[in-house]
Amino acid sequence: MVLTKEMMEAIEKSNVVFLATANKHKNPNVVPIGLARPLDDKTILLVANFMNKTYKNLKENPKASVIVADVTKCPYQFKGTVKIHESGKYFDDAVEWAKSVMTQLEPKGAVLLDVEEIYSVQPGPEAGKKVE
């Protein structure tokens, strides 16, 4: 499953995306994330700045889902598996980006979501259907 150009632009331009996770006991959690952007047509970068419970959840259970706050611009849910980078190029790039936005930020990690499935969240008969 790949992100279209329109999907990638909507993620890039969004001020907030929502990240849904679950811990090892399957307890759900959803948080707003201010720094998210696509790296390519299969990967979304999320910068872990203030994540506490979410970060722990991702380490226990790497499955996650992302949705852009303004679903009128991007009516899709992106599901997949994350990899956390706490050092290296992805982490360094995430820190540089975060500090360019707010110098006080101290990112914990770069969270890369490998998009495996995309679902419609468009109200109507297509809601919940997997995008092929």
Side-chain angles (χ1 to χ4, degrees):
M1 187 56 44
V2 297
L3 302 167
T4 65
K5 181 180 177 182
E6 293 78 19
M7 290 172 183
M8 290 192 296
E9 286 175 2
I11 295 165
E12 183 80 36
K13 292 177 181 176
S14 179
N15 290 329
V16 174
V17 300
F18 290 95
L19 173 63
T21 63
N23 66 15
K24 63 184 174 186
H25 303 292
K26 300 182 182 177
N27 295 320
N29 186 58
V30 177
V31 295
I33 304 294
L35 294 173
R37 67 177 173 207
L39 295 181
D40 56 43
D41 65 2
K42 289 192 63 91
T43 312
I44 300 171
L45 165 67
L46 304 133
V47 181
N49 287 302
F50 305 113
M51 293 181 192
N52 291 310
K53 187 183 332 173
T54 300
Y55 205 61
K56 182 179 178 199
N57 286 357
L58 290 172
K59 287 184 173 191
E60 292 178 1
N61 174 4
K63 293 295 187 180
S65 180
V66 169
I67 189 168
V68 174
D70 186 351
V71 295
T72 62
K73 293 184 180 170
C74 188
Y76 302 101
Q77 176 189 53
F78 309 102
K79 292 184 177 190
T81 304
V82 302
K83 290 182 183 149
I84 297 173
H85 297 265
E86 295 177 333
S87 64
K89 180 187 178 348
Y90 292 120
F91 177 72
D92 294 343
D93 290 349
V95 169
E96 182 179 337
W97 180 29
K99 289 199 173 283
S100 75
V101 173
M102 185 184 298
T103 57
Q104 310 89 302
L105 293 177
E106 294 290 335
K108 299 172 188 175
V111 176
L112 275 58
L113 176 70
D114 178 33
V115 177
E116 297 161 351
E117 299 176 310
I118 301 174
Y119 291 86
S120 173
V121 295
Q122 181 73 41
E126 298 301 309
K129 288 191 178 177
K130 188 174 183 180
V131 176
E132 299 298 326

